[in-house]
């Protein structure tokens, strides 16, 4: 009898990985137990993210995101008075990238003059999706699909990619 091999279960879904990451950033642990839980969660996150097999593509894009933030850390980085990348926008963009499904291609990252970060999925010059991540929970996005185009705003809770945003990215990248 042939053994059936189960499909792999995403560690991010199984362990509530995005929630776990946001928990490690809270920094509000007061009791010894809460501090121990935060320390354990942080160790688990470092272990997963240290694995190229589990986190390779995301580690690369998050590293690029931090390089971009370093390059645009001073006001006027563009020579025209642009704001430095906002630290909260950087954290929000990193949390958004962590929350992306594993099977979705990673975006290109770019700074925006207002201190926000643009995450762009570009299939061709006529098929693209652009998302602006700022210092609040508001995600502004726009897409172009041939002659069709659109835009919208969604809220990001720091854990789950809004369904509408995910569906639009998947549609462009199919």
């Amino acid at each position: 009898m042939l053994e059936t091999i189960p499909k792999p279960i995403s560690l991010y879904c199984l362990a509530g990985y995005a929630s776990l990451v946001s928990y490690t950033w809270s920094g509000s642990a007061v009791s010894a137990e809460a501090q121990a839980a935060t320390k354990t969660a942080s160790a688990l996150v470092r272990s997963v993210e240290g694995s190229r097999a589990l986190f390779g593509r995301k580690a690369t894009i998050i590293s690029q995101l931090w390089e971009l933030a370093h390059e645009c850390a001073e006001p006027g980085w563009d020579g025209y008075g642009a704001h430095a990348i906002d630290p909260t926008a950087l954290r929000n963009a990193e949390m958004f990238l962590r929350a992306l499904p594993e099977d979705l291609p990673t975006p290109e990252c770019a700074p925006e003059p207002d201190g926000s970060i643009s995450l762009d999925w570009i299939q061709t010059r006529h098929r693209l999706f652009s998302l602006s991540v700022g210092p609040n929970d508001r995600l502004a996005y726009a897409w172009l699909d041939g002659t069709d185009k659109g835009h919208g705003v969604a809220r990001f809770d720091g854990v789950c990619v809004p369904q509408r945003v995910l569906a639009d990215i998947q549609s462009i990248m199919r």
Side-chain angles (χ1 to χ4, degrees):
M1 181 171 177
L2 291 175
E3 220 178 294
T4 58
I5 301 171
K7 290 184 178 180
I9 298 173
S10 170
L11 176 64
Y12 305 99
C13 294
L14 182 64
Y17 185 75
S19 297
L20 185 65
V21 170
S22 65
Y23 177 74
T24 66
W25 287 355
S26 65
S28 61
V30 176
S31 70
E33 293 81 9
Q35 290 174 353
T38 299
K39 185 177 179 181
T40 300
S42 296
L44 177 60
V45 167
R46 279 192 309 276
S47 174
V48 169
E49 292 180 3
S51 167
R52 295 297 280 166
L54 293 176
F55 204 74
R57 293 182 313 117
K58 286 187 182 181
T60 300
I61 192 67
I62 289 171
S63 177
Q64 291 171 0
L65 183 66
W66 278 90
E67 286 177 32
L68 180 72
H70 180 71
E71 291 170 8
C72 303
E74 298 296 324
W77 52 264
D78 66 346
Y80 297 101
H83 294 270
I85 288 184
D86 185 284
T88 305
L90 175 64
R91 184 176 149 231
N92 290 345
E94 185 174 348
M95 289 170 47
F96 185 87
L97 291 169
R98 290 174 193 276
L100 288 173
E102 290 303 306
D103 60 346
L104 195 67
T106 55
E108 296 178 21
C109 301
E112 295 183 2
D114 68 352
S116 297
I117 297 169
S118 177
L119 302 177
D120 304 309
W121 287 263
I122 303 169
Q123 185 75 321
T124 68
R125 59 184 266 196
H126 299 289
R127 288 179 56 87
L128 56 94
F129 184 92
S130 183
L131 179 80
S132 180
V133 182
N136 54 35
D137 66 348
R138 183 179 177 269
L139 301 172
Y141 62 91
W143 53 269
L144 175 65
D145 188 0
T147 58
D148 292 333
K149 59 186 173 183
H151 59 89
V153 175
R155 301 277 178 216
F156 177 54
D157 63 7
V159 178
C160 296
V161 175
Q163 191 58 44
R164 173 64 194 233
V165 170
L166 184 58
D168 286 346
I169 295 169
Q170 290 170 329
S171 175
I172 293 297
M173 298 308 292
R174 69 179 186 292

